[in-house]
C-alpha cells in the first residue's frame, strides 16, 4: 500500500536562517487543458511549521550548525500546501491566502485537496467530508479560493488507489470495505459515490482559468499501468492536466518516469479508434510494470517500452504527469536489515515491515528538488508533495503498518499494551499524520540525494 504548516510568515523563515548562519484533449463543452507547465515556473515555498523552526534553533544553539543548515534548506525549498478539512468558508479563506501569498512572490503554489469521504479508508490519515454533497461544496469553496490565480492542484492522494468496494479490471474487489456498527456497508461507501465525488471535483476545478489539475496515479509499486489508466479515465483525467505519482511514497524517480509515460500511453492506446476500434476501452491489454516487464527487476522494463513501441500505432499520448520526489532519494526501505543483529526479527516480521514501508520508514532521503524543467516528454514537474519532515501517521501494530517480535528485541522495555502503539523502527510513538517528526526530518535532510549542501 501506499503512504499517504502553520503559517509563520517570511520573517520567521528569515529568522530561522539567521540563527543557522550565525552558528488527453478536453471533452466537448469543457475548458481546454492548460498548456504544460513552463520550464521556468517557480514554485511557492510556504512558511515552515513552528516545530521545524524550533528544531532548527535548538540544533543551532547546541552547536550542530550543519544539521541546522540542512533543515533550513529543506524547509525553505518549495513544497505543497495541504488542505485537509474545515468548513467551505474556512477552506476558501485559507486557499485564497495561499495563492495570494504565492502571487506576491511571483511563484506558483502547489495545493493538495485531501478531504474526500472515507479518506484513507479509516487508516492513519482517515477523515474527510461526511458525504459527496458536503465534499463538493467544500471543493466549490476550494476552487473559489483559487479564483483567477495560477495554481497547481493535486486532487486527493490515494483516492484512486483506495476506492471503497471497487471492482477492478480483473473482477477482484478492493480491500477497502467500510462498514457501519451493524457490519453493513457504511452509508455512501461505494465505488459509484467515490467516482461521483472525483468527477464532480474535476468538473468544478477545471473551470478555474489558470489552474492545472492532476489526479492520483498511485505509484509503480502499487497499481498496474492498466488499472491506473482505467481508474484515471473514469475519474476524468482527460479533462484535467494529468496525474501525479509517488505521493507520500519512496519509489525511485527513474521508475516513476517510465510508469507515468506508460500510463499516458495506455490512456492513448485504449482511447484510439484505429484498427476498427477493437482497443477502445481495452486498458487490460496495456503493457505494464508487471507484464511483460517484471516489476522487481528494472532491467526488464525495456520489454514494456518495446510493447508500446510495437502496439501504440498512431495513438498519441497527451496526458501529462508530475512526480513527488520529496523523500525518494534513497528509494524504498525493504526492511531486510531487521533480520540481522541486533534485531533478529523472523522472516514473517520482515515481510510485514516491508508491506508497511510507506509509513515513516527510516533511512530515507530527500530526492530531486522541485522544478518544471524536467527535459522528459509528458513529465511536467518534480514536486515535493509530501512536506518532508512530517509524519505519515502513528505507524504501529494497532494500525497495521508495523510488525515486531518484542521477545527478540525490546531495549525500550515497552509493555505488551504499550507495544500496540509503539514504533520499534524509531523507538518512539510516532506523531499523528501531518505533524512534524523531528528525527525523521533530520534523517531525510542528511541523506538527501542530491545533497542539500549543493
Amino acid at each position: 500500500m501506499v503512504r499517504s504548516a502553520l503559517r509563520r510568515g517570511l520573517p520567521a523563515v528569515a529568522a530561522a536562517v539567521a540563527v543557522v548562519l550565525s552558528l488527453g484533449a478536453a471533452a466537448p463543452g469543457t475548458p481546454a487543458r492548460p498548456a504544460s507547465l513552463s520550464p521556468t515556473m517557480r514554485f511557492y515555498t510556504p512558511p515552515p511549521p513552528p516545530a521545524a523552526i524550533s528544531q532548527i534553533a535548538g540544533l543551532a544553539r547546541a552547536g550542530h550548525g550543519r544539521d541546522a543548515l540542512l533543515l533550513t534548506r529543506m524547509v525553505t525549498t518549495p513544497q505543497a500546501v495541504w488542505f485537509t478539512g474545515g468548513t467551505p468558508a474556512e477552506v476558501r479563506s485559507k486557499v485564497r491566502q495561499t495563492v495570494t501569498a504565492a502571487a506576491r512572490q511571483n511563484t506558483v503554489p502547489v495545493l493538495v485537496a485531501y478531504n474526500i469521504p472515507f479518506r484513507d479508508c479509516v487508516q492513519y490519515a482517515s477523515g474527510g467530508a461526511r458525504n459527496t454533497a458536503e465534499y463538493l461544496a467544500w471543493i466549490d469553496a476550494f476552487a473559489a479560493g483559487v479564483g483567477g490565480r495560477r495554481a497547481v492542484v493535486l486532487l486527493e492522494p490515494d483516492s484512486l488507489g483506495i476506492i471503497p468496494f471497487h471492482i477492478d479490471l480483473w473482477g477482484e474487489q478492493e480491500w477497502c470495505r467500510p462498514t457501519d456498527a451493524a457490519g453493513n456497508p457504511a452509508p455512501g461507501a461505494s465505488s459509484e459515490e467515490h467516482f461521483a465525488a472525483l468527477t464532480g471535483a474535476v468538473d468544478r476545478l477545471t473551470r478555474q482559468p489558470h489552474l492545472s489539475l492532476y489526479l492520483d496515479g498511485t505509484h509503480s509499486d502499487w497499481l498496474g499501468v492498466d488499472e491506473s489508466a482505467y481508474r484515471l479515465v473514469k475519474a476524468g483525467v482527460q479533462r484535467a492536466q494529468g496525474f501525479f505519482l509517488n505521493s507520500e511514497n519512496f519509489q525511485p524517480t527513474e521508475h516513476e518516469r517510465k510508469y507515468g509515460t506508460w500510463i499516458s500511453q495506455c490512456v492513448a492506446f485504449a482511447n484510439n479508434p484505429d484498427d476498427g476500434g477493437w482497443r477502445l476501452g481495452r486498458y487490460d491489454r496495456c503493457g505494464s510494470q508487471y507484464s511483460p516487464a517484471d516489476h522487481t527487476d528494472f532491467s526488464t522494463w525495456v520489454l514494456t517500452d518495446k510493447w508500446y513501441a510495437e502496439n501504440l500505432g498512431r495513438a498519441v499520448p497527451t496526458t501529462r504527469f508530475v512526480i513527488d520526489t520529496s523523500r525518494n532519494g534513497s528509494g524504498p526501505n525493504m526492511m531486510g536489515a531487521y533480520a540481522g543483529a541486533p534485531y533478529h526479527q523472523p522472516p514473517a516480521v520482515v515481510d510485514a515491515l516491508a508491506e508497511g514501508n510507506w509509513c515513516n520508514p527510516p533511512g530515507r532521503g530527500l530526492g530531486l528538488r522541485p522544478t518544471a524543467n524536467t527535459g522528459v516528454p509528458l513529465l511536467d514537474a518534480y514536486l515535493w508533495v509530501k512536506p518532508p519532515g512530517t509524519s505519515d501517521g502513528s505507524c504501529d501494530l494497532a494500525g497495521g503498518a508495523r510488525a515486531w517480535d518484542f521477545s527478540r528485541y525490546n531495549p525500550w522495555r515497552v509493555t505488551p499494551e504499550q507495544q500496540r502503539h509503539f514504533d520499534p523502527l524509531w523507538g518512539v510513538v510516532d506523531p499523528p499524520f501531518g505533524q512534524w517528526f523531528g528525527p525523521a526530518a533530520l534523517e531525510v535532510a542528511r541523506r538527501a540525494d542530491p545533497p542539500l549542501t549543493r
Side-chain angles (χ1 to χ4, degrees), residues 319-353:
T319 307
R320 309 186 67 84
F321 63 99
V322 298
I323 299 173
D324 183 359
T325 58
S326 61
R327 301 183 297 174
N328 73 344
S330 303
N333 185 341
M334 300 313 296
M335 306 295 178
Y338 296 103
Y343 314 104
H344 300 296
Q345 294 299 298
V349 167
V350 174
D351 288 346
L353 289 173

Side-chain angles (χ1 to χ4, degrees), residues 90-416:
E90 288 170 341
V91 76
R92 182 188 301 112
S93 175
K94 290 177 181 178
V95 169
R96 182 179 293 123
Q97 290 172 12
T98 301
V99 298
T100 300
R104 287 176 181 150
Q105 299 177 21
N106 195 29
T107 59
V108 176
V110 178
L111 313 177
V112 178
Y114 194 51
N115 194 39
I116 197 166
F118 302 102
R119 184 180 72 199
D120 201 31
C121 201
V122 200
Q123 297 187 107
Y124 295 113
S126 62
R130 291 175 295 183
N131 53 59
T132 301
E134 182 177 283
Y135 175 67
L136 293 179
W138 186 87
I139 284 290
D140 189 69
F142 185 106
V146 175
R149 301 283 194 185
R150 189 77 176 91
V152 171
V153 174
L154 309 185
L155 182 64
E156 301 297 339
D158 296 344
S159 63
L160 290 177
I162 304 175
I163 304 174
F165 296 98
H166 181 65
I167 304 296
D168 68 15
L169 285 170
W170 318 108
E172 297 183 6
Q173 188 175 75
E174 174 71 60
W175 63 270
C176 176
R177 304 169 195 177
T179 58
D180 61 18
N184 300 312
S190 71
S191 176
E192 293 75 14
E193 282 292 319
H194 193 81
F195 278 105
L198 289 173
T199 56
V202 170
D203 289 341
R204 181 62 189 88
L205 290 166
T206 52
R207 294 179 201 162
Q208 304 311 117
H210 303 298
L211 185 154
S212 295
L213 178 64
Y214 298 85
L215 280 63
D216 172 38
T218 73
H219 60 73
S220 61
D221 199 42
W222 195 350
L223 294 182
V225 167
D226 40 17
E227 184 70 25
S228 182
Y230 163 67
R231 296 185 188 196
L232 281 164
V233 171
K234 189 171 181 179
V237 75
Q238 291 168 296
R239 292 178 282 115
Q241 175 78 2
F243 55 93
F244 58 91
L245 300 175
N246 208 38
S247 172
E248 307 172 80
N249 212 267
F250 306 87
Q251 303 308 311
T253 298
E254 60 267 32
H255 291 201
E256 302 314 288
R257 290 191 195 111
K258 282 190 179 289
Y259 180 62
T261 300
W262 294 340
I263 290 173
S264 187
Q265 291 174 325
C266 181
V267 170
F269 171 87
N271 287 275
N272 185 273
D274 287 352
D275 306 322
W278 70 267
R279 53 187 177 175
L280 289 174
R282 294 305 305 270
Y283 301 96
D284 60 312
R285 298 293 295 272
C286 290
S288 78
Q289 75 274 37
Y290 298 111
S291 176
D294 177 352
H295 86 287
T296 64
D297 182 357
F298 189 63
S299 69
T300 69
W301 288 32
V302 295
L303 299 175
T304 297
D305 288 331
K306 182 180 178 182
W307 188 94
Y308 282 102
E310 294 175 347
N311 291 278
L312 200 55
R314 294 190 297 173
V316 178
T318 59
T319 307
R320 309 186 67 84
F321 63 99
V322 298
I323 299 173
D324 183 359
T325 58
S326 61
R327 301 183 297 174
N328 73 344
S330 303
N333 185 341
M334 300 313 296
M335 306 295 178
Y338 296 103
Y343 314 104
H344 300 296
Q345 294 299 298
V349 167
V350 174
D351 288 346
L353 289 173
E355 284 294 314
N357 69 359
W358 53 268
C359 198
N360 293 336
R364 302 308 89 199
L366 303 169
L368 293 172
R369 252 75 105 210
T371 179
N373 186 17
T374 70
V376 179
L378 300 174
L379 175 55
D380 278 348
Y382 302 117
L383 302 174
W384 283 9
V385 179
K386 171 71 173 180
T390 59
S391 177
D392 294 318
S394 297
C395 310
D396 56 18
L397 177 64
R402 287 289 185 267
W404 199 256
D405 186 340
F406 284 90
S407 69
R408 297 183 180 225
Y409 189 75
N410 184 12
W412 319 280
R413 301 184 183 279
V414 291
T415 67

Side-chain angles (χ1 to χ4, degrees), residues 15-34:
V17 175
V19 169
V20 174
L21 295 178
S22 68
L23 297 169
T30 62
R33 289 190 292 196

